[in-house]
Amino acid sequence: MSAQVARRVAVIGSGSWGTALSGLLAEQVGEVRLWCRSARVAEAIGATRRNPRHLTDYELPSGVHATADAAEALEGAEAVILALPSSYLRDACRMISPLVDAKAPVLVLTKGVERGTNELMADVAATELGGAWRVAVLSGPNHAEEVCLGKLAAAVLAARDADVAERLRALLVSPSFRVYVSEDVVGVEVCGAVKNVIAIACGVAAGLGAGDNTLAVLMTRGLAEIGRVAAALGSDPLTPMGLAGMGDLVATCTSEHSRNRTFGEALVAGETLAAYEERTGMVVEGARAAQSVLALARGLRVAAPITEAVNAVLHEGLPVADAIDGLLGRRPGEEFYGMAFQDKENH
């Protein structure tokens, strides 16, 4: 096998993760075409090798070519990586659909549940681009701020087609970025969407001075919430225990790099969602997911009390103190209720 596993790969989206992943891909790919919504950002990357909005101290490798022209970004691309906020994904996929090779595998980095349709991100991409078999997802404890520095990280790459999974894995895997494969696309996506909501709750708790015990409770009960939603959708019950679930949950709920965790802290300090996103230039996916995940859970008749509390605070005007009282007023039941492995006759 040659050193280069692909001649050209397109990355759609120049946020933190799209920027970091472009650098990671450049180690294995002849050329990475990074599509930017802003021509100014593309020009700045071309001139300075740095993204002026995200990971501003990171110097992109010479193999990364930034452009605001979607046709230029996708011309000859042997694989397409989608690194966009969830609210932009459908429109962006619809826009690039005529430009994407019908056989090119598509890797979705976006995490969330689409508001209104309750569709997961891989389903959104498959609907607009065609071919669910070629759409894969990537998730795990891998903050862009650390990946771009070559610090050790790992992720799980899930695809329905084993060949697609291996083709995409070969583009990303390196000594410092370990990539495991899975067939559980839905389970990996549920983990990625719900953990952002739980991280906001952890940020709120930390901002109020909660101790380690409280944060551990929130993360563990949040993991149970993830497990219930995933189980209701028929996912492998082990998936939430892996990199996409427990791994990413811990990183997102505890890290200073987590926009969801730090937004929760800012919220109790008096900052609004709009002000936080304007100040940081980043989208708080958990704030959007709180609404759509709750709608999904209710449709599945799955209990999601932490998600419900976060949604009530962010979108229904419920005071944080009342949300906490509501959670503490719930009567504890069986620890693993609502999960597939609670079938005691078979397990």
Side-chain angles (χ1 to χ4, degrees), residues 30-54:
E31 182 183 20
V32 179
R33 295 275 179 93
L34 175 61
W35 179 77
C36 311
R37 292 180 66 198
S38 165
R40 187 182 70 81
V41 170
E43 291 167 2
I45 292 174
T48 68
R49 310 309 309 160
R50 285 178 167 82
N51 188 324
R53 293 183 180 174
H54 303 280

Side-chain angles (χ1 to χ4, degrees), residues 225-301:
E225 207 155 296
I226 291 169
R228 286 193 295 274
V229 175
L233 290 170
S235 299
D236 186 335
L238 288 178
T239 297
M241 308 304 159
L243 288 166
M246 191 63 188
D248 203 2
L249 182 69
V250 170
T252 308
C253 290
T254 62
S255 175
E256 64 180 355
H257 300 309
S258 167
R259 66 195 69 175
N260 294 284
R261 153 78 185 234
T262 55
F263 165 64
E265 294 177 284
L267 181 68
V268 295
E271 190 168 16
T272 65
L273 174 62
Y276 176 89
E277 291 187 332
E278 183 177 358
R279 173 172 62 85
T280 62
M282 297 188 295
V283 174
V284 181
E285 287 288 7
R288 279 84 179 161
Q291 292 179 301
S292 52
V293 168
L294 182 59
L296 177 62
R298 285 174 173 169
L300 296 167
R301 297 184 178 180

Side-chain angles (χ1 to χ4, degrees), residues 15 19 81 105 116 126 130 132 143 150 159 170 182 203 210 213 301:
T19 301
I81 317 294
H143 288 300
S182 168
N213 292 345
R301 297 184 178 180

Side-chain angles (χ1 to χ4, degrees), residues 110-129:
T110 309
K111 298 178 173 71
V113 177
E114 187 178 49
R115 188 179 177 186
T117 67
N118 294 341
E119 286 190 5
L120 297 167
M121 297 294 100
D123 295 326
V124 172
T127 298
E128 298 300 333
L129 298 176

